[in-house]
Amino acid sequence: MKDNCILTAESVTEGHPDKLCDTIADAVVDACLTQDAAARVACEVMATAGKIIAAGEITAAKIPDIPAIICRTVREAGYGGSDYEVEVITHEQSPDIAEAVCGGTETGAGDQGILYGFACDETKELLPLPVVLAHRLTRLLTDTRRQDIIPGLRPDGKAQVSVEYRSGVPYRVAAVVVSCQHEDELPLPELRRDILRHVIRPAMQELPLDEHTEVLVNPSGRFVQGGFEADTGLTGRKLMVDTYGGLAPHGGGALSGKDGTKVDRSGAYMARYIARNIVAAGLAKRCTISLAYAIGKAQPVAVTVDTEHTGIYSDDVLEQAVRTVFNLTPDGMIGTLGLDQPMFQKFCNYGHFTHADAPWEHGYDRGAGMCLSCQGHGRIAPITEKARERSSLAGVLSLHGILECLAGLESRRFGSGDFNGGSGGGILAGAGDALLHLEGAKAQQLYLVTGLQRSLQRVDKRIQSGVTVLLGQAAGFRHGGDQFCFIHRVSSPSYLK
């Protein structure tokens, strides 16, 4: 990314015809998985004036009532009372593909594909700010319609945000564009005033509008006829909206309408999950993960990591750690993220990566394992001022994380000296190390080491709150009768299910 530039991202409401089709397709997937966790689904939907068609390949213990799903989803999107015909054309998965996917000891990829995942430390969502702001606008558009805050709003709508960056950091909002469907009686000047007041300004609180920000509301004028009655909708046509707004690579495969054996979906989710863990653990400021698969094969044919020179470790070391820590087979991705459960409709609108409760958005789950694995594979970069700036995040390990990280580790217990924690204390650990609190031989608590250099006094305070942020040489100590040691090297880590 250039240090000085303007980046733009867009979003659409759930009433947009393309996203309505995505929502219907994912509702079909959820209905199949509710009856059969091993269902194989590839569902495409087209919606146009007077007709909605669902077609595809479905192999499941029970085929759901797809016409009823379509009608319910259209009504929930805000188009109750619409007059349309429903047609469903489905058949079972090709026996050749089924054999390639399920004929071996491991589930193979349902198709070839290149998948990308991205994360950056720009926002709490670990997404670029233009992406977050665009989705926030469309969410607020839908909320104001449903709550009747702006009477006369209709379901179809979209938004676009341009953010000016200086020295690689968001500096100001350069432009905001909002287009929203409305009732014929709603005057355009009133609509523009209300959208600015109830949608745009609340969405831009992190980076408020300034006197030079260009704000355009319904720049084409009237927007009365909308939805699939005005524009034909199709699944998979809002790929940038679903992912990173065009600000990170995309492999070209759609997410919605597919079960977890299709790596277009599971691989994209896993790649985001990995990138998010790397950034959340403070291992990099920006991270792009690339996974490539061959149809019928379980293991990826390629795994790459690109941190754009913001990583504490080299990209090669991070790649080795990714292969060590994450199970990248279809079975592994489905099991890790629970992709055999009916949940996809819930996450298919306003970006698949903006939902904090989505399994692939649990950013700290494997961060500890990544740090420990990196420590075993390579040396940390020199502590330059740039490294200090980007190493500000601390990770916290849960009990589950402790069990994961203890498996297969070579730990080392250090001297029994009693350090009083004065301001000159120099007990430091390396990023990627972990601080283990021992009671006898039993591990009581494990703290992840990821951040900036601190004295021992600071260490003690952070231990009490459950986090330690350190950088330097590994060591161990006793404090207040408690014994601590640093796990500082990984031999052959394995992770418990």
Side-chain angles (χ1 to χ4, degrees):
M1 187 182 87
K2 296 179 181 178
D3 284 345
N4 300 310
C5 60
I6 294 179
L7 300 181
T8 303
E10 72 161 345
S11 178
V12 300
T13 65
E14 57 205 64
H16 186 281
D18 292 333
K19 286 314 294 178
L20 175 64
C21 291
D22 286 343
T23 307
I24 292 171
D26 275 341
V28 171
V29 175
D30 285 350
C32 292
L33 293 175
T34 299
Q35 301 290 333
D36 180 6
R40 300 289 180 260
V41 186
C43 180
E44 306 292 347
V45 178
M46 184 184 77
T48 191
K51 191 160 190 174
I52 299 178
I53 302 171
E57 300 76 51
I58 300 178
T59 302
K62 182 179 179 181
I63 303 298
D65 186 347
I66 296 177
I69 292 171
I70 292 173
C71 293
R72 183 185 71 244
T73 307
V74 170
R75 186 172 60 252
E76 289 173 349
Y79 293 111
S82 298
D83 186 15
Y84 56 92
E85 176 187 351
V86 172
E87 183 176 358
V88 176
I89 310 167
T90 63
H91 55 90
E92 290 194 344
Q93 186 180 49
S94 156
D96 294 340
I97 295 177
E99 175 64 23
V101 173
C102 301
T105 57
E106 292 184 291
T107 300
D111 200 353
Q112 70 180 40
I114 307 164
L115 304 319
Y116 293 94
F118 177 76
C120 63
D121 67 353
E122 207 167 284
T123 62
K124 65 181 178 62
E125 295 87 355
L126 301 187
L127 289 168
L129 184 61
V131 174
V132 172
L133 294 179
H135 289 311
R136 193 175 295 164
L137 285 169
T138 52
R139 282 181 185 272
L140 283 171
L141 264 182
T142 298
D143 290 345
T144 53
R145 172 180 63 84
R146 287 180 169 167
Q147 298 170 26
D148 205 29
I149 294 172
I150 304 178
L153 278 186
R154 297 286 289 140
D156 196 358
K158 54 173 54 178
Q160 183 175 286
V161 179
S162 299
V163 175
E164 180 181 343
Y165 286 71
R166 293 191 182 179
S167 302
V169 177
Y171 177 71
R172 59 180 292 271
V173 176
V176 177
V177 182
V178 174
S179 295
C180 50
Q181 185 189 10
H182 58 89
E183 299 286 356
D184 193 15
E185 299 79 13
L186 186 57
L188 197 54
E190 180 181 333
L191 173 66
R192 286 171 171 160
R193 183 193 66 226
D194 289 346
I195 291 296
L196 181 62
R197 177 185 176 187
H198 296 293
V199 177
I200 296 176
R201 291 197 184 281
M204 301 292 144
Q205 291 181 1
E206 289 180 5
L207 198 61
L209 309 180
D210 60 40
E211 59 182 354
H212 301 296
T213 301
E214 185 175 16
V215 178
L216 300 171
V217 178
N218 282 26
S220 64
R222 280 166 45 90
F223 184 4
V224 174
Q225 187 178 26
F228 60 94
E229 293 178 348
D231 295 295
T232 297
L234 191 66
T235 47
R237 280 210 308 211
K238 285 293 172 281
L239 305 185
M240 300 303 107
V241 172
D242 287 344
T243 54
Y244 310 103
L247 304 182
H250 194 291
L255 299 174
S256 291
K258 301 172 181 178
D259 71 87
T261 64
K262 280 70 172 176
V263 292
D264 280 345
R265 171 161 245 161
S266 55
Y269 288 166
M270 180 58 91
R272 162 64 176 173
Y273 178 63
I274 296 169
R276 184 179 172 90
N277 268 274
I278 287 173
V279 173
L283 293 172
K285 194 177 180 68
R286 300 171 63 86
C287 180
T288 300
I289 299 294
S290 173
L291 307 174
Y293 289 86
I295 187 169
K297 301 299 182 182
Q299 294 291 342
V301 297
V303 178
T304 61
V305 178
D306 180 7
T307 61
E308 303 176 37
H309 307 290
T310 68
I312 291 178
Y313 294 92
S314 72
D315 290 348
D316 289 342
V317 168
L318 286 168
E319 179 187 322
Q320 292 180 63
V322 167
R323 291 178 179 274
T324 299
V325 172
F326 298 93
N327 185 339
L328 301 177
T329 66
D331 283 339
M333 296 187 293
I334 291 169
T336 297
L337 302 177
L339 302 182
D340 56 355
Q341 302 301 308
M343 61 175 165
F344 297 116
Q345 182 182 357
K346 178 181 178 183
F347 302 128
C348 81
N349 286 298
Y350 311 108
H352 289 236
F353 307 131
T354 64
H355 304 271
D357 53 339
W360 47 89
E361 292 301 297
H362 296 174
Y364 291 97
D365 288 7
R366 302 296 179 91
M370 284 294 297
C371 289
L372 293 167
S373 187
C374 285
Q375 186 72 11
H377 284 126
R379 298 183 62 82
I380 192 166
I383 308 173
T384 62
E385 285 304 312
K386 205 169 190 87
R388 291 182 188 279
E389 290 175 7
R390 69 181 181 233
S391 304
S392 59
L393 252 171
V396 188
L397 292 181
S398 62
L399 178 60
H400 178 71
I402 295 171
L403 294 175
E404 283 191 334
C405 293
L406 287 179
L409 294 178
E410 175 189 343
S411 63
R412 181 174 167 189
R413 185 170 300 177
F414 294 84
S416 58
D418 184 12
F419 299 94
N420 62 19
S423 60
I427 304 306
L428 303 174
D433 290 348
L435 178 65
L436 183 61
H437 179 195
L438 302 175
E439 185 175 281
K442 187 177 180 181
Q444 294 299 303
Q445 181 65 57
L446 186 66
Y447 302 99
L448 179 62
V449 179
T450 58
L452 300 174
Q453 183 172 326
R454 295 286 187 263
S455 69
L456 179 59
Q457 183 176 17
R458 182 61 173 166
V459 170
D460 293 337
K461 290 179 180 178
R462 298 299 279 172
I463 288 169
Q464 292 170 12
S465 63
V467 185
T468 177
V469 282
L470 309 168
L471 216 112
Q473 297 297 316
F477 62 96
R478 291 182 181 275
H479 179 74
D482 293 330
Q483 182 173 347
F484 296 85
C485 73
F486 288 107
I487 298 170
H488 89 126
R489 191 180 300 276
V490 179
S491 54
S492 56
S494 59
Y495 296 89
L496 305 180
K497 296 290 185 183

